[in-house]
């Protein structure tokens, strides 16, 4: 059996009701549900939530909500793997079932990316997870921290402090940007694996996994209202371009 599990708790401090909030006219979770259904990969699309509102929306858009997530798995600090493991236990999943953890805030994710990731996993027996990754737009090899420096009391300014940069990787200070190795980060969209690895909570970011490099137009972290607005702009751009 192939299962899509969408973890969507009700609480969100930075964007209230984030998983149910309207995004370009639809609740944002609706895009993930419809994507999973349209991929024709999954036998069931299940939403794990503690929210009656999200459960109602999920069912409206074609997902199943066969259980409500317990409160001890619904706070700000709960990692993803225990939530997916709980959902698979509730569904009595078998070790070799194919599972996709699909986040609810993925309106930019193309359906064909899910298909590509699923195919990548099916064609590589030694791979435990497949996930989406993005390349950093600006190389972290040139990153620095800013240390707060108090200004002398006699300084004629309303500013009380300034910030001094300290390179984190000073060995690359004079390296040309085109000669720096690219670095990547988790796009926060999906993780494909056999149920066994989710249930055992095997770490995702390790050599036994494979990353699918994504186009940054089709991914956006949505943690703040500014992120939300940027994601809507990307969605409108992509869909306007595709409509031409």
């Amino acid at each position: 059996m192939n299962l899509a599990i969408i973890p969507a708790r009700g609480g969100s401090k930075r964007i209230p009701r984030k998983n149910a909030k309207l995004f370009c006219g639809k609740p944002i979770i609706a895009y993930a549900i419809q994507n999973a259904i349209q991929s024709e990969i999954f036998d069931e699309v299940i939403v794990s939530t503690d929210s009656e509102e999200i459960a109602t929306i999920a069912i409206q858009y074609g997902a199943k909500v066969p259980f409500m997530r317990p409160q001890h798995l619904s706070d700000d600090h709960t990692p993803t793997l225990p939530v997916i493991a709980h959902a698979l236990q509730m569904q009595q999943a078998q070790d070799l079932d194919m599972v996709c953890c699909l986040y609810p805030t993925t309106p930019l994710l193309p359906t064909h990316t899910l298909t590509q990731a699923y195919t990548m996993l099916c064609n590589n027996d030694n791979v435990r997870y497949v996930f989406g990754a993005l390349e950093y737009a600006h190389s972290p090899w040139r990153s620095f921290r800013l240390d707060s420096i108090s200004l002398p009391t006699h300084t004629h300014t309303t500013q009380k402090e300034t910030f001094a940069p300290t390179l984190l990787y000073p060995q690359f200070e004079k390296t040309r940007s085109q000669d720096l190795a690219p670095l990547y980060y988790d796009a926060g969209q999906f993780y494909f694996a056999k149920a066994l690895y989710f249930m055992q909570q095997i770490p995702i970011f390790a050599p036994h996994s494979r990353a699918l490099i994504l186009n940054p137009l089709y991914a956006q972290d949505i943690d703040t209202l500014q992120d939300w607005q940027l994601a809507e702009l990307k969605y409108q751009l992509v869909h306007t371009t595709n409509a031409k």
Side-chain angles (χ1 to χ4, degrees), residues 16-66:
R17 298 178 54 255
K18 178 170 76 169
N19 292 325
K21 182 177 169 67
L22 292 183
F23 180 98
C24 292
K26 287 191 295 191
I28 196 166
I29 191 175
Y31 295 90
I33 294 169
Q34 292 177 330
N35 231 353
I37 292 171
Q38 290 167 8
S39 73
E40 299 184 345
I41 294 171
F42 305 106
D43 300 297
E44 291 186 346
V45 178
I46 295 166
V47 170
S48 168
T49 186
D50 61 330
S51 163
E52 293 289 350
E53 178 188 25
I54 291 174
T56 298
I57 293 170
I59 293 169
Q60 176 186 350
Y61 283 92
K64 295 181 179 180
V65 187

Side-chain angles (χ1 to χ4, degrees), residues 103-167:
Y103 283 125
T105 52
T106 52
L108 302 174
L109 178 65
T111 303
H112 67 78
T113 300
L114 286 177
T115 305
Q116 187 177 356
Y118 173 68
T119 302
M120 183 184 295
L121 182 65
C122 290
N123 291 342
N124 293 274
D125 291 337
N126 296 325
V127 172
R128 295 192 176 183
Y129 292 96
V130 173
F131 65 96
L134 291 166
E135 182 179 347
Y136 281 104
H138 303 284
S139 177
W141 296 122
R142 288 283 181 80
S143 59
F144 52 85
R145 70 173 187 268
L146 291 176
D147 299 317
S148 177
I149 306 295
S150 297
L151 293 174
T153 55
H154 63 270
T155 303
H156 299 291
T157 177
T158 57
Q159 186 174 330
K160 300 301 182 183
E161 59 182 354
T162 187
F163 300 94
T166 299
L167 284 169

